[in-house]
Amino acid sequence: SELKIPFMGGYGLSDLLIEKEAKKSLKTQLGMILRSSKRLIEIAELMKCATLLLDDEFITLGSEEVDVGDLMTQAHAWMAAATDAKGKPLKKADVTLEVVVSEDVKTVKGVDKDQLLKALICMSDNALKFTASGTVKVGATKRDGATELWFEDTASVPLRGEEIKQCFIPFKRLQPDRYAGFGISLSMVYEIIRLHGGHFELSPGPEDAGTRIAIVLPDDLQRPSRAGGTGDGVFAGGGGA
């Protein structure tokens, strides 16, 4: 938190000055400071979250009943408004966003809403980053005594075999030459879901195009011991050879 404070000060001050500055050249320079400050805040937050990958005692999960429809609507709203490091919309112009929540999905119990929303936002970021055109869907489905929260795109390259698990290895990036990032967001998501007692399913999207990633939360969530980490039984089904 202390690391973020000076960056937040720079972000707030530059945002205020942009509104008052009349000279276009200065507004442009202030805009660069604003975007840089925002990115530094994001990096500081990622560094904080990365401690979870080193020692999960750093995170304390709450337990509450959460409205799934509201949760997915918040994830959708974030996707529609998200911007990249340059301040440009993260959602490409040729990408359509959809929310699909089954009528029988009402709430999930025993979860930490803030941490679960953080996981969904990280997944949203990845879904938009790798989709240049087509459709990105976010949804929730009830099945076999569990609630499934999922993301599905129709345009990214389908993941196969070992690529699936590599997505969740800290600092592992599958296409580092094409996409910016640190390679820890999905690792963080993995650990948040593991600590909830849920698991992941990854598979190709509809008609073998794109990628589908789902968080599966059993109705009778049983939180695991604080031992373990990325790679310890959080995958079930899905994928391919």
Side-chain angles (χ1 to χ4, degrees):
S1 296
E2 292 184 9
L3 182 61
K4 291 170 59 177
I5 291 174
F7 301 145
M8 293 175 69
Y11 180 88
L13 183 59
S14 57
D15 188 35
L16 178 64
L17 291 174
I18 285 175
E19 295 182 3
K20 296 183 177 182
E21 182 56 57
K23 293 183 178 179
K24 184 176 180 180
S25 60
L26 290 180
K27 288 178 75 75
T28 300
Q29 294 171 0
L30 287 168
M32 293 175 62
I33 296 174
L34 181 70
R35 293 191 296 273
S36 296
S37 298
K38 179 182 178 182
R39 184 55 177 160
L40 287 169
I41 292 170
E42 292 172 348
I43 292 172
E45 182 65 22
L46 281 173
M47 290 173 64
K48 176 183 175 182
C49 294
T51 58
L52 175 63
L53 305 177
L54 302 176
D55 186 351
D56 57 27
E57 293 294 343
F58 279 99
I59 186 171
T60 301
L61 294 181
S63 180
E64 57 186 307
E65 185 173 359
V66 175
D67 184 295
V68 175
D70 178 62
L71 195 67
M72 305 312 279
T73 297
Q74 289 185 58
H76 177 268
W78 182 91
M79 295 172 76
T83 57
D84 62 17
K86 296 182 179 180
K88 297 181 179 180
L90 197 58
K91 185 187 82 66
K92 282 73 170 179
D94 293 332
V95 173
T96 300
L97 301 178
E98 294 183 16
V99 178
V100 183
V101 178
S102 299
E103 292 185 0
D104 57 347
V105 177
K106 304 301 182 183
T107 63
V108 286
K109 298 179 180 180
V111 299
D112 185 305
K113 181 179 180 179
D114 290 340
Q115 292 295 338
L116 195 55
L117 182 59
K118 181 185 294 183
L120 292 175
I121 287 176
C122 285
M123 291 169 63
S124 301
D125 180 85
N126 276 270
L128 292 178
K129 183 186 297 182
F130 293 101
T131 305
S133 63
T135 303
V136 174
K137 293 183 180 180
V138 54
T141 307
K142 196 75 176 176
R143 62 162 218 199
D144 301 329
T147 299
E148 182 183 73
L149 311 179
W150 51 268
F151 288 81
E152 183 178 278
D153 70 75
T154 58
S156 67
V157 178
L159 299 175
R160 293 289 189 273
E162 284 303 310
E163 286 184 325
I164 292 176
K165 288 194 175 183
Q166 287 178 9
C167 288
F168 294 90
I169 297 175
F171 307 108
K172 179 70 175 180
R173 295 164 59 201
L174 296 183
Q175 300 181 43
D177 295 335
R178 294 186 59 190
Y179 300 100
F182 295 93
I184 65 171
S185 60
L186 286 182
S187 303
M188 183 180 67
V189 172
Y190 183 105
E191 193 68 1
I192 289 173
I193 301 309
R194 184 186 76 82
L195 292 175
H196 270 92
H199 68 261
F200 280 95
E201 293 184 359
L202 281 82
S203 60
E207 300 180 5
D208 208 33
T211 301
R212 187 179 193 276
I213 177 171
I215 295 172
V216 181
L217 300 170
D219 292 340
D220 56 343
L221 279 175
Q222 300 294 323
R223 295 187 179 179
S225 65
R226 287 280 176 164
T230 303
D232 299 334
V234 186
F235 289 96

